[in-house]
Amino acid sequence: MRVTAHDVAEAAGVSRSAVSRAFTEGASIAPEKRQRILSIASMLGYQPNRIARGLSGRRTGLVALVFGRVSSPYEAWLLDHLSQAIRARGKWPLLLSAFPEGELDGALAHALSYQVDGAIVAAGSVSRTLAERCAALGAPIVMVGRILDGVAVDAVCCDNALGMRQLVELLVSEGRHRIAWIGGKAEAFSNVERQAGLLEALSGWGLEPWARRVADYSVEGGMLQALALLTADERPDAILCGNDAMALGAISAARRLGLGVPEEIAIAGFDDIPAAAWEPYLLTTVCNPVAETAAQALRLLEQRIDDGARPHEVVRLTPRLVRRRSA
Amino acid sequence: MRVTAHDVAEAAGVSRSAVSRAFTEGASIAPEKRQRILSIASMLGYQPNRIARGLSGRRTGLVALVFGRVSSPYEAWLLDHLSQAIRARGKWPLLLSAFPEGELDGALAHALSYQVDGAIVAAGSVSRTLAERCAALGAPIVMVGRILDGVAVDAVCCDNALGMRQLVELLVSEGRHRIAWIGGKAEAFSNVERQAGLLEALSGWGLEPWARRVADYSVEGGMLQALALLTADERPDAILCGNDAMALGAISAARRLGLGVPEEIAIAGFDDIPAAAWEPYLLTTVCNPVAETAAQALRLLEQRIDDGARPHEVVRLTPRLVRRRSA
DNA sequence: CTGAAAGCGCTTACAG
DNA sequence: CTGAAAGCGCTTACAG
């Protein structure tokens, strides 16, 4: 039914070993023999079974991609780049998404049963023990958008503090001093860093947040919190949001109240998702460099696969201020 | 290093066969023995190697998920539901996305080398030979959002014609008779069906499209084409778009020209992506039932896996008109 | 219900 | 450079 190396060997009059070598980069086999085997194989429609190949000790070529939901704009965008980067290296993404909250360890452990060559984690938080276990099994982890203190894991992450500094500087230079903050999921790494960055940047100007609110990184959440901020007795003159989605919601809130953006209220986000550039919004934000994030994550993963003992590396990517109309 | 069945067998004083049986649903093994093995296994951190399991003839539990880009809103949304549905059934999605245009066959063939148990195809068009080859290898295909004439493949697809009929009926009942159409990617199945549905629905009212334009299913594309339509000498009084993204762009175009939506120009889309409900848009559209699509796709796949000979089934899902503000 | 043995399709020392 | 053989970690008839 399925064409195997055996069939090809027979058709080519060589051993199964030779067939295997023909498909193995750098194996010692006569060049013309390899050519002949390869062409016979393709005629027969033979392709080495990756499962068998994985079993006999070589890599499976599978890379686990760990996401929460993949339908929020930033995640979808990152996933797109990451899966392309993985495919570009001849590997395959095994998508691990929407696992129940807090079950990352179990889910990753399960992924290990597929002998993934590595994992790129863009959601949740990896425990030290799991990271070590993965490494021991030859399936190193790279974290994206999060950095674990005291856990030796490669990571690539946007310089959130710098991004907030850029935004605050822009706002303050425009004369805004009543700057409110709508943070995202409280425990999320990006949220913690962005909020800390905001506080530090503000204090550099002798300021404090005008008000602080928490939403869930969603458009609707941002809208609700912004409504609360904008209907308070003393209104802020600017709202900084923990991500773009919430900022889009905040713009809608301002409009609903008949407030001019940015005249009466400046609004800015973080990430620069595609929708930020859509006409009704023209959101001023900071660009979280997704393509570079994906590229670096794969570089780190491959280097770690090649040399499990190299020192761990944390790459900080520089965000870029994108000024549109909302601030 | 890695804990194997051998280690568990030794620790439990049983054979490797027994360990295997303990992990195999319905295998004949004494219940108390199974319990003991399972608990020892979990203490040792043993989990059957899925790769080895796949090799020895059983299923790998892998389901290929074939997408184009996954970052467009509708695709991201569908992917989310599909990957959840797959995980809910204890299987894993192998994501196959962003393959070069027209290379679906090659990509799917490659996925086969991972012995996927099946594939859900939500992009491109599967050739008859590939569909047959997949089936022969025990990896059946289910197509989502597309139906292949003359190719025996299970499929689940929204009733596009009905959706267009609902939209046209709404517009006409509101007195709109100059209805323009912005179609999506010309060859796309959904586009072909929606456009045909539009023509038929219009002719039912004795109408023809006021004008026809083609974009690429993107927000920007929709905006450009709508600008052209709305600056023509004779303006339409409604624009129907092949998907929501283009309709969002069309709304922006109308605004840019200072045209009231829906007063001066009604605009409607197709799919009901999350952004359709965002405040600046409040897009009237037709809901493409994504959750049900995912559920049906998995049902079809599992039934096909169980019985490769059952008659092929095409499920048509009923779209639902969602009236918001834009039309 | 249980264990010894063959086999899944490949890779990789090993000996030549 | 090449082939015969062992082995990857599991499952599954087979015989008991």
Side-chain angles (χ1 to χ4, degrees), chain A residues 56-139:
Chain A
S56 60
R58 295 171 92 267
R59 323 224 65 113
T60 52
L62 255 23
V63 174
L65 226 40
V66 180
F67 273 76
R69 309 299 298 257
V70 294
S71 58
S72 64
Y74 175 74
E75 273 70 27
W77 193 33
L78 178 61
L79 174 63
D80 209 349
H81 281 273
L82 241 16
S83 68
Q84 278 186 68
I86 289 173
R87 292 291 306 121
R89 281 166 176 77
K91 298 186 178 292
W92 290 74
L94 193 62
L95 184 60
L96 170 41
S97 83
F99 47 86
E101 210 47 62
E103 299 209 0
L104 173 54
D105 276 27
L108 246 186
H110 198 163
L112 250 26
S113 72
Y114 280 105
Q115 274 186 214
V116 295
D117 294 346
I120 294 181
V121 177
S125 185
V126 177
S127 71
R128 178 203 311 264
T129 53
L130 186 66
E132 277 162 5
R133 193 162 148 228
C134 284
L137 291 176

Coordinates of all heavy atoms in Angstrom, one line a residue, chain A residues 56-139:
Chain A
S56 N 13.8 5.9 14.9 CA 15.2 5.4 14.9 C 16.2 6.4 15.2 O 17.3 6.4 14.7 CB 15.5 4.8 13.5 OG 15.4 5.7 12.5
G57 N 15.8 7.3 16.1 CA 16.8 8.2 16.7 C 17.0 9.6 16.1 O 17.5 10.5 16.8
R58 N 16.7 9.8 14.9 CA 16.9 11.1 14.3 C 15.7 12.0 14.7 O 14.8 11.6 15.4 CB 17.0 11.0 12.8 CG 18.3 10.2 12.5 CD 18.5 9.9 11.1 NE 19.3 10.9 10.4 CZ 18.8 11.9 9.7 NH1 17.5 12.1 9.7 NH2 19.5 12.8 9.1
R59 N 15.8 13.2 14.4 CA 14.8 14.2 14.8 C 13.5 14.0 14.0 O 13.5 13.5 12.9 CB 15.4 15.6 14.5 CG 16.8 15.7 14.8 CD 17.1 17.0 15.6 NE 16.5 17.0 16.9 CZ 17.2 16.9 18.0 NH1 18.5 16.9 18.0 NH2 16.6 16.9 19.1
T60 N 12.4 14.4 14.6 CA 11.1 14.2 13.9 C 10.9 15.4 13.0 O 10.0 15.3 12.1 CB 10.0 14.2 15.0 OG1 10.1 15.3 15.8 CG2 10.0 12.9 15.8
G61 N 11.5 16.5 13.3 CA 11.3 17.7 12.5 C 10.0 18.5 13.0 O 9.6 19.4 12.4
L62 N 9.5 18.0 14.1 CA 8.3 18.6 14.7 C 8.7 19.7 15.7 O 9.6 19.5 16.5 CB 7.5 17.6 15.4 CG 6.2 17.0 14.8 CD1 6.1 17.2 13.3 CD2 6.0 15.6 15.2
V63 N 8.1 20.9 15.6 CA 8.3 21.9 16.6 C 7.0 22.3 17.2 O 6.1 22.7 16.5 CB 9.0 23.2 16.0 CG1 9.0 24.3 17.0 CG2 10.3 22.9 15.4
A64 N 6.9 22.1 18.5 CA 5.6 22.5 19.2 C 5.5 24.0 19.3 O 6.5 24.7 19.6 CB 5.6 21.9 20.6
L65 N 4.3 24.4 19.0 CA 4.0 25.9 19.0 C 3.0 26.1 20.1 O 1.8 25.7 19.9 CB 3.5 26.3 17.6 CG 4.0 27.5 17.0 CD1 5.5 27.7 17.2 CD2 3.7 27.5 15.5
V66 N 3.3 26.7 21.2 CA 2.4 26.8 22.3 C 1.8 28.1 22.4 O 2.4 29.1 22.6 CB 3.2 26.5 23.6 CG1 2.2 26.6 24.8 CG2 3.8 25.1 23.5
F67 N 0.5 28.1 22.1 CA -0.3 29.4 22.1 C -1.5 29.2 23.1 O -1.9 28.1 23.4 CB -0.8 29.7 20.7 CG 0.2 30.5 19.9 CD1 1.3 29.9 19.4 CD2 0.0 31.8 19.7 CE1 2.2 30.6 18.6 CE2 0.9 32.6 19.0 CZ 2.0 31.9 18.4
G68 N -2.1 30.3 23.5 CA -3.3 30.3 24.1 C -4.4 30.3 23.0 O -4.4 29.4 22.2
R69 N -5.2 31.2 23.0 CA -6.1 31.4 21.9 C -5.3 31.9 20.7 O -4.4 32.6 20.9 CB -7.2 32.4 22.1 CG -7.9 32.1 23.4 CD -8.6 30.8 23.4 NE -9.6 30.7 22.4 CZ -10.9 30.8 22.6 NH1 -11.4 31.0 23.8 NH2 -11.8 30.7 21.6
V70 N -5.7 31.5 19.5 CA -4.9 32.0 18.4 C -5.8 33.0 17.6 O -5.3 33.5 16.5 CB -4.4 30.9 17.4 CG1 -3.4 30.0 18.1 CG2 -5.6 30.1 16.9
S71 N -6.9 33.3 18.1 CA -7.8 34.2 17.3 C -7.6 35.7 17.6 O -8.2 36.5 16.9 CB -9.2 33.8 17.4 OG -9.6 33.8 18.8
S72 N -7.0 36.0 18.7 CA -6.8 37.4 18.9 C -5.7 38.0 17.9 O -4.9 37.2 17.5 CB -6.4 37.7 20.4 OG -5.1 37.1 20.6
P73 N -5.9 39.2 17.6 CA -5.1 39.7 16.4 C -3.6 39.5 16.6 O -3.0 39.1 15.6 CB -5.5 41.2 16.3 CG -6.8 41.3 17.0 CD -6.8 40.2 18.1
Y74 N -3.1 39.9 17.7 CA -1.7 39.8 17.8 C -1.2 38.4 17.8 O -0.2 38.1 17.1 CB -1.2 40.4 19.2 CG 0.3 40.3 19.4 CD1 1.2 41.0 18.6 CD2 0.8 39.3 20.2 CE1 2.6 40.8 18.8 CE2 2.1 39.1 20.4 CZ 3.0 39.9 19.7 OH 4.4 39.7 19.8
E75 N -1.9 37.5 18.4 CA -1.5 36.1 18.5 C -1.6 35.5 17.0 O -0.7 34.7 16.6 CB -2.4 35.3 19.4 CG -1.9 35.3 20.8 CD -2.1 36.6 21.5 OE1 -3.0 37.4 21.1 OE2 -1.3 36.9 22.4
A76 N -2.6 35.8 16.3 CA -2.8 35.2 15.0 C -1.6 35.7 14.1 O -1.1 34.9 13.3 CB -4.1 35.7 14.4
W77 N -1.3 36.9 14.3 CA -0.2 37.5 13.5 C 1.1 36.8 13.8 O 1.9 36.5 12.9 CB -0.2 39.0 13.9 CG 0.6 39.9 13.0 CD1 0.8 39.8 11.7 CD2 1.2 41.1 13.5 NE1 1.5 40.9 11.3 CE2 1.8 41.7 12.4 CE3 1.3 41.7 14.7 CZ2 2.5 42.9 12.5 CZ3 2.0 42.9 14.8 CH2 2.6 43.5 13.7
L78 N 1.4 36.7 15.1 CA 2.6 36.0 15.5 C 2.7 34.6 15.0 O 3.7 34.1 14.5 CB 2.7 36.1 17.0 CG 3.9 35.4 17.7 CD1 5.2 36.1 17.2 CD2 3.9 35.5 19.2
L79 N 1.5 33.9 15.2 CA 1.5 32.5 14.8 C 1.8 32.4 13.3 O 2.5 31.5 12.9 CB 0.0 32.0 15.0 CG -0.2 30.6 14.5 CD1 0.7 29.6 15.2 CD2 -1.7 30.2 14.7
D80 N 1.3 33.3 12.5 CA 1.5 33.3 11.1 C 3.0 33.3 10.8 O 3.6 32.5 10.1 CB 0.8 34.5 10.4 CG 0.4 34.2 9.0 OD1 0.9 33.2 8.5 OD2 -0.3 35.0 8.4
H81 N 3.7 34.3 11.4 CA 5.1 34.4 11.2 C 5.9 33.2 11.7 O 6.8 32.7 11.1 CB 5.6 35.7 11.8 CG 5.3 36.9 11.0 ND1 6.1 37.4 10.0 CD2 4.3 37.7 11.0 CE1 5.6 38.4 9.4 NE2 4.5 38.7 10.0
L82 N 5.5 32.8 12.9 CA 6.2 31.6 13.5 C 6.1 30.4 12.6 O 7.0 29.7 12.4 CB 5.7 31.4 14.9 CG 6.6 31.5 16.1 CD1 7.9 32.2 15.9 CD2 5.8 32.1 17.3
S83 N 4.9 30.1 12.2 CA 4.7 28.9 11.4 C 5.4 29.0 10.1 O 5.9 28.0 9.6 CB 3.2 28.6 11.2 OG 2.6 29.5 10.4
Q84 N 5.4 30.2 9.5 CA 6.2 30.3 8.3 C 7.7 30.1 8.5 O 8.4 29.5 7.7 CB 6.0 31.7 7.7 CG 4.8 31.9 6.9 CD 4.7 33.2 6.3 OE1 5.5 33.6 5.4 NE2 3.8 34.1 6.7
A85 N 8.2 30.7 9.6 CA 9.6 30.5 9.9 C 10.0 29.1 10.1 O 11.0 28.6 9.7 CB 10.0 31.4 11.1
I86 N 9.1 28.3 10.7 CA 9.3 26.9 11.0 C 9.4 26.1 9.7 O 10.2 25.3 9.4 CB 8.3 26.4 12.0 CG1 8.5 26.9 13.4 CG2 8.3 24.8 12.0 CD1 7.4 26.6 14.3
R87 N 8.4 26.4 8.8 CA 8.3 25.7 7.6 C 9.5 26.1 6.7 O 10.0 25.2 6.0 CB 7.0 26.1 6.8 CG 5.7 25.6 7.4 CD 5.6 24.1 7.3 NE 5.8 23.6 6.0 CZ 6.7 22.7 5.6 NH1 7.6 22.3 6.5 NH2 6.7 22.3 4.4
A88 N 10.0 27.3 6.8 CA 11.1 27.7 6.0 C 12.3 26.9 6.3 O 13.3 26.8 5.6 CB 11.3 29.2 6.2
R89 N 12.4 26.4 7.5 CA 13.5 25.6 7.9 C 13.3 24.1 7.8 O 14.0 23.3 8.3 CB 13.9 25.9 9.4 CG 14.6 27.2 9.5 CD 14.7 27.7 11.0 NE 15.5 28.9 11.1 CZ 15.1 30.1 10.8 NH1 13.9 30.3 10.2 NH2 15.9 31.1 11.0
G90 N 12.2 23.8 7.0 CA 12.0 22.4 6.8 C 11.4 21.6 7.9 O 11.3 20.4 8.0
K91 N 10.9 22.4 9.0 CA 10.3 21.7 10.1 C 8.8 21.9 10.0 O 8.3 22.7 9.2 CB 10.9 22.2 11.4 CG 12.4 22.0 11.5 CD 12.9 22.4 12.9 CE 14.3 22.2 13.1 NZ 14.6 20.7 13.1
W92 N 8.1 21.3 11.0 CA 6.6 21.4 11.0 C 6.1 21.8 12.3 O 6.6 21.3 13.4 CB 6.0 20.0 10.7 CG 6.2 19.7 9.3 CD1 7.3 19.2 8.7 CD2 5.2 19.7 8.2 NE1 7.1 19.0 7.4 CE2 5.8 19.3 7.1 CE3 3.8 20.1 8.2 CZ2 5.1 19.2 5.9 CZ3 3.2 20.0 7.0 CH2 3.8 19.5 5.8
P93 N 5.2 22.8 12.3 CA 4.6 23.2 13.6 C 3.5 22.3 14.1 O 2.6 21.9 13.4 CB 4.0 24.6 13.2 CG 3.9 24.6 11.8 CD 4.7 23.5 11.2
L94 N 3.7 21.8 15.3 CA 2.7 21.1 16.0 C 2.0 22.1 16.9 O 2.6 22.6 17.8 CB 3.3 19.9 16.8 CG 2.4 18.9 17.4 CD1 1.7 18.1 16.2 CD2 3.2 17.9 18.2
L95 N 0.7 22.4 16.5 CA 0.1 23.5 17.2 C -0.5 23.0 18.5 O -1.3 22.1 18.6 CB -1.0 24.1 16.3 CG -1.7 25.3 16.9 CD1 -0.7 26.4 17.1 CD2 -2.8 25.7 15.9
L96 N -0.2 23.7 19.6 CA -0.7 23.4 20.9 C -1.4 24.6 21.4 O -0.7 25.6 21.9 CB 0.5 23.0 21.8 CG 0.3 22.8 23.2 CD1 -0.9 22.1 23.5 CD2 1.5 22.0 23.8
S97 N -2.7 24.7 21.3 CA -3.3 25.9 21.6 C -4.6 25.7 22.4 O -5.1 24.6 22.5 CB -3.7 26.7 20.3 OG -4.9 26.2 19.8
A98 N -5.0 26.8 23.1 CA -6.2 26.7 23.8 C -6.3 25.6 24.8 O -7.3 25.0 25.1 CB -7.4 26.6 22.9
F99 N -5.2 25.3 25.4 CA -5.2 24.3 26.5 C -5.8 25.0 27.7 O -5.7 26.2 27.8 CB -3.8 23.8 26.8 CG -2.8 24.9 27.0 CD1 -2.6 25.6 28.2 CD2 -2.1 25.4 25.9 CE1 -1.8 26.7 28.3 CE2 -1.2 26.4 26.0 CZ -1.1 27.1 27.2
P100 N -6.4 24.3 28.6 CA -7.0 24.9 29.8 C -6.0 25.7 30.5 O -4.9 25.3 30.6 CB -7.5 23.7 30.6 CG -7.5 22.5 29.6 CD -6.5 22.8 28.6
E101 N -6.5 26.8 31.1 CA -5.6 27.7 31.9 C -4.8 26.9 32.9 O -5.3 26.0 33.6 CB -6.6 28.6 32.6 CG -6.0 30.0 32.9 CD -5.3 30.6 31.7 OE1 -6.0 30.8 30.7 OE2 -4.1 30.8 31.8
G102 N -3.5 27.1 32.9 CA -2.7 26.5 33.9 C -2.3 25.1 33.6 O -1.6 24.5 34.4
E103 N -2.6 24.6 32.5 CA -2.3 23.2 32.2 C -1.1 23.1 31.1 O -1.0 22.1 30.4 CB -3.5 22.4 31.7 CG -4.6 22.4 32.7 CD -5.4 21.2 32.6 OE1 -5.1 20.4 31.7 OE2 -6.3 21.0 33.4
L104 N -0.4 24.2 31.1 CA 0.7 24.2 30.1 C 1.7 23.1 30.3 O 2.0 22.4 29.3 CB 1.5 25.6 30.2 CG 2.7 25.7 29.4 CD1 2.4 25.3 27.9 CD2 3.3 27.0 29.5
D105 N 2.0 22.8 31.6 CA 3.0 21.7 31.8 C 2.5 20.4 31.3 O 3.2 19.7 30.6 CB 3.3 21.6 33.3 CG 4.4 22.6 33.7 OD1 4.5 23.7 33.1 OD2 5.1 22.3 34.7
G106 N 1.3 20.1 31.6 CA 0.7 18.8 31.1 C 0.7 18.8 29.6 O 1.0 17.8 29.0
A107 N 0.3 19.9 29.0 CA 0.1 19.9 27.6 C 1.5 19.7 26.9 O 1.7 19.0 25.9 CB -0.5 21.2 27.1
L108 N 2.5 20.4 27.4 CA 3.8 20.3 26.9 C 4.4 18.9 27.1 O 5.0 18.4 26.2 CB 4.8 21.4 27.5 CG 5.3 22.4 26.6 CD1 6.3 23.3 27.3 CD2 5.9 21.9 25.3
A109 N 4.1 18.4 28.2 CA 4.6 17.0 28.5 C 4.0 16.1 27.4 O 4.7 15.2 26.9 CB 4.2 16.6 29.9
H110 N 2.8 16.3 27.1 CA 2.1 15.5 26.1 C 2.8 15.7 24.7 O 3.0 14.7 24.0 CB 0.6 15.8 26.1 CG -0.2 14.8 25.4 ND1 -1.5 14.7 25.5 CD2 0.2 13.8 24.6 CE1 -2.0 13.7 24.8 NE2 -1.0 13.1 24.2
A111 N 3.1 16.9 24.4 CA 3.7 17.2 23.2 C 5.1 16.4 23.1 O 5.5 16.0 22.0 CB 4.0 18.7 23.0
L112 N 5.7 16.3 24.2 CA 7.0 15.5 24.2 C 6.8 14.1 23.8 O 7.7 13.5 23.3 CB 7.5 15.6 25.7 CG 8.7 16.4 26.0 CD1 8.9 17.5 25.0 CD2 8.7 16.9 27.4
S113 N 5.6 13.6 23.9 CA 5.4 12.2 23.5 C 5.4 12.1 22.0 O 5.5 11.0 21.5 CB 4.1 11.6 24.1 OG 3.0 12.2 23.4
Y114 N 5.4 13.2 21.3 CA 5.6 13.2 19.9 C 7.1 13.4 19.5 O 7.4 13.6 18.4 CB 4.7 14.2 19.2 CG 3.3 13.8 19.1 CD1 2.3 14.3 19.9 CD2 2.9 12.9 18.1 CE1 1.0 13.9 19.8 CE2 1.6 12.5 18.0 CZ 0.7 13.0 18.8 OH -0.6 12.6 18.7
Q115 N 7.9 13.4 20.5 CA 9.3 13.6 20.3 C 9.6 14.9 19.5 O 10.4 14.9 18.5 CB 9.9 12.5 19.5 CG 10.3 11.3 20.4 CD 11.0 10.2 19.6 OE1 10.9 9.1 19.9 NE2 11.8 10.6 18.5
V116 N 8.9 16.0 19.8 CA 9.2 17.2 19.1 C 10.6 17.6 19.3 O 11.3 17.3 20.3 CB 8.3 18.4 19.7 CG1 6.8 18.1 19.4 CG2 8.5 18.6 21.2
D117 N 11.2 18.2 18.3 CA 12.6 18.6 18.4 C 12.8 19.8 19.3 O 13.9 20.1 19.7 CB 13.1 19.0 17.0 CG 13.1 17.8 16.1 OD1 13.0 16.6 16.6 OD2 13.3 17.9 14.9
G118 N 11.7 20.5 19.5 CA 11.8 21.7 20.4 C 10.4 22.3 20.5 O 9.5 21.9 19.9
A119 N 10.3 23.4 21.3 CA 9.0 24.0 21.5 C 9.2 25.5 21.6 O 10.2 26.0 22.1 CB 8.4 23.5 22.8
I120 N 8.3 26.2 21.0 CA 8.3 27.7 21.1 C 7.1 28.0 21.9 O 5.9 27.7 21.5 CB 8.3 28.3 19.7 CG1 9.6 28.0 19.0 CG2 8.1 29.8 19.8 CD1 9.7 28.6 17.6
V121 N 7.3 28.7 23.0 CA 6.2 28.9 23.9 C 5.8 30.4 23.9 O 6.6 31.2 24.3 CB 6.6 28.5 25.4 CG1 5.5 28.8 26.3 CG2 6.9 27.0 25.4
A122 N 4.6 30.7 23.5 CA 4.2 32.0 23.4 C 2.9 32.3 24.3 O 2.2 33.2 24.1 CB 3.8 32.4 21.9
A123 N 2.7 31.4 25.2 CA 1.6 31.6 26.1 C 2.0 30.9 27.4 O 2.8 30.0 27.5 CB 0.3 31.0 25.6
G124 N 1.3 31.4 28.5 CA 1.6 30.8 29.8 C 3.0 30.9 30.2 O 3.8 31.6 29.7
S125 N 3.3 30.2 31.3 CA 4.6 30.3 31.9 C 5.1 28.9 32.2 O 4.5 28.0 32.8 CB 4.4 31.1 33.2 OG 5.7 31.3 33.7
V126 N 6.3 28.6 31.7 CA 6.9 27.3 31.8 C 7.6 27.1 33.2 O 8.3 28.0 33.6 CB 8.0 27.1 30.7 CG1 8.6 25.8 30.8 CG2 7.3 27.2 29.3
S127 N 7.3 26.0 33.8 CA 8.0 25.8 35.1 C 9.4 25.4 34.8 O 9.8 24.9 33.8 CB 7.3 24.7 35.8 OG 7.5 23.4 35.2
R128 N 10.3 25.6 35.9 CA 11.7 25.3 35.7 C 11.8 23.8 35.5 O 12.6 23.4 34.6 CB 12.4 25.7 37.0 CG 13.9 25.3 37.0 CD 14.4 25.2 38.4 NE 13.9 26.4 39.2 CZ 14.7 27.4 39.4 NH1 15.9 27.4 38.9 NH2 14.3 28.5 40.0
T129 N 11.1 23.0 36.2 CA 11.2 21.5 36.0 C 10.9 21.1 34.6 O 11.6 20.3 34.0 CB 10.4 20.8 37.0 OG1 9.0 21.2 36.9 CG2 10.8 21.0 38.4
L130 N 9.9 21.7 34.1 CA 9.5 21.3 32.7 C 10.6 21.7 31.7 O 10.9 20.9 30.8 CB 8.1 21.9 32.3 CG 7.7 21.3 30.9 CD1 7.4 19.8 31.0 CD2 6.5 22.1 30.4
A131 N 11.0 22.9 31.9 CA 12.1 23.4 31.0 C 13.3 22.4 31.0 O 13.9 22.1 30.0 CB 12.5 24.8 31.4
E132 N 13.6 22.0 32.2 CA 14.8 21.1 32.4 C 14.5 19.7 31.7 O 15.3 19.1 31.1 CB 15.2 21.0 33.8 CG 16.0 22.1 34.3 CD 16.1 22.3 35.8 OE1 15.5 21.4 36.5 OE2 16.7 23.2 36.3
R133 N 13.3 19.3 32.0 CA 12.9 18.0 31.4 C 13.0 18.0 29.9 O 13.5 17.1 29.2 CB 11.5 17.6 31.9 CG 11.2 16.2 31.6 CD 10.0 15.7 32.5 NE 9.4 14.7 31.7 CZ 8.1 14.6 31.5 NH1 7.3 15.5 32.1 NH2 7.6 13.7 30.7
C134 N 12.4 19.1 29.3 CA 12.5 19.2 27.9 C 13.9 19.2 27.4 O 14.2 18.5 26.4 CB 11.8 20.5 27.4 SG 10.0 20.5 27.5
A135 N 14.7 20.0 28.0 CA 16.1 20.1 27.6 C 16.8 18.7 27.7 O 17.5 18.3 26.8 CB 16.9 21.1 28.5
A136 N 16.5 18.0 28.8 CA 17.1 16.7 29.0 C 16.7 15.7 27.8 O 17.4 14.8 27.4 CB 16.7 16.1 30.3
L137 N 15.5 15.9 27.4 CA 15.0 15.0 26.3 C 15.4 15.5 24.9 O 14.9 14.9 23.9 CB 13.4 14.9 26.4 CG 12.9 14.2 27.6 CD1 11.4 14.2 27.6 CD2 13.4 12.7 27.6
G138 N 16.2 16.5 24.9 CA 16.6 17.0 23.6 C 15.6 17.8 22.9 O 15.6 18.0 21.7
A139 N 14.6 18.4 23.6 CA 13.6 19.2 23.0 C 13.6 20.6 23.7 O 12.8 20.8 24.6 CB 12.2 18.5 23.1

